[in-house]
Amino acid sequence: MKNNELFQIHHFKAVDSTNARLRDMQTQEELPEFTVVWCDKQTAGRGQMGNSWESEEGKNLTFSLLLRPDFLPASQQFRITQLVTLALMDVLHPFSKNIAIKWPNDIYAGDKKLGGILIENSLKGNSIDQSIIGIGLNLNQIHFTSGAPNPISLSQLTGLQHSRKKVLGQFLRALTIRYVDWLESGNSDKLADEYLLYLYRRDGWHRYADAQGSFEATFEGIEPDGHLLLRDSGGRARRYAFKEVSFLP
């Protein structure tokens, strides 16, 4: 495991997306683990399931990171999501106790979206070969024009401007600490337990919708493979993969 100072960091003025640029670089040569790509502007930034990601040039932090967790079975790839979201919480939660993880991998401040993560895993047999982890954090943008329903920035929360380079360094340090602890302890349950502590809508009854319509439910748990478990007001247990259920106001 390398120290934070040994991360290979590549900065670009503009790319289509940092995940795509990192993947293209990987096809040209075998990149070392912990290679990082970050940029001032993405022309085709993406979120989960092909959703677009709005980011005003030079205002926010958009970057991708290469990991090689080849010790991890494919069935446990959600552990990578837990690792990365918790490292983000280490950086962001001191700014506001209202910042939480919205299952599976969005970062929310109250009911507004502060950041998102796109993880693209490659498999070799039954194990993870490599993970390209793309992260977008709204740091200093004030005006959002894409029609996204609920964006917010850290600057709007704090009234301050935030250095993109500094926040990137803080995240890499937090990730390093958590990754080393995970590798040395082998304690995936610790990741799972801490993830739950920061979970959006962890307590109480809330409105959701699936293919059959809207319903009220309370949170029951997260399975090791990342499925969300809810229990509706009629006592029925419900199990969802990502995009099979939506969170209603």
Side-chain angles (χ1 to χ4, degrees), residues 201-216:
R201 292 191 174 182
R202 182 174 183 267
D203 300 313
W205 293 85
H206 301 278
R207 295 179 66 240
Y208 300 87
D210 61 15
Q212 282 70 51
S214 62
F215 60 96
E216 284 196 351

Side-chain angles (χ1 to χ4, degrees), residues 102-103 201 206-217 228 230 232 238-249:
K102 178 175 174 285
W103 175 86
R201 292 191 174 182
H206 301 278
R207 295 179 66 240
Y208 300 87
D210 61 15
Q212 282 70 51
S214 62
F215 60 96
E216 284 196 351
L228 174 67
L230 301 174
D232 66 25
R238 297 175 180 243
R239 178 178 183 268
Y240 296 102
F242 183 52
K243 287 295 186 181
E244 290 182 349
V245 65
S246 57
F247 290 60
L248 299 179

Side-chain angles (χ1 to χ4, degrees), residues 1-10 22 26 29-37 64-72 80 83 128-133 172 175-176 179-180 182-183:
M1 180 69 192
K2 299 178 176 64
N3 293 325
N4 185 44
E5 292 76 11
L6 295 181
F7 279 76
Q8 292 200 14
I9 301 175
H10 304 266
L22 186 54
Q26 174 73 352
E29 61 175 311
E30 186 75 7
L31 297 175
E33 190 175 24
F34 314 117
T35 298
V36 177
V37 167
S64 295
L65 167 72
L66 176 66
L67 290 183
R68 300 188 189 280
D70 53 8
F71 59 90
L72 191 65
I80 302 170
L83 173 74
I128 305 294
D129 182 36
Q130 68 175 30
S131 296
I132 293 179
I133 299 157
L172 295 179
L175 183 72
T176 298
Y179 200 28
V180 167
W182 184 29
L183 290 174

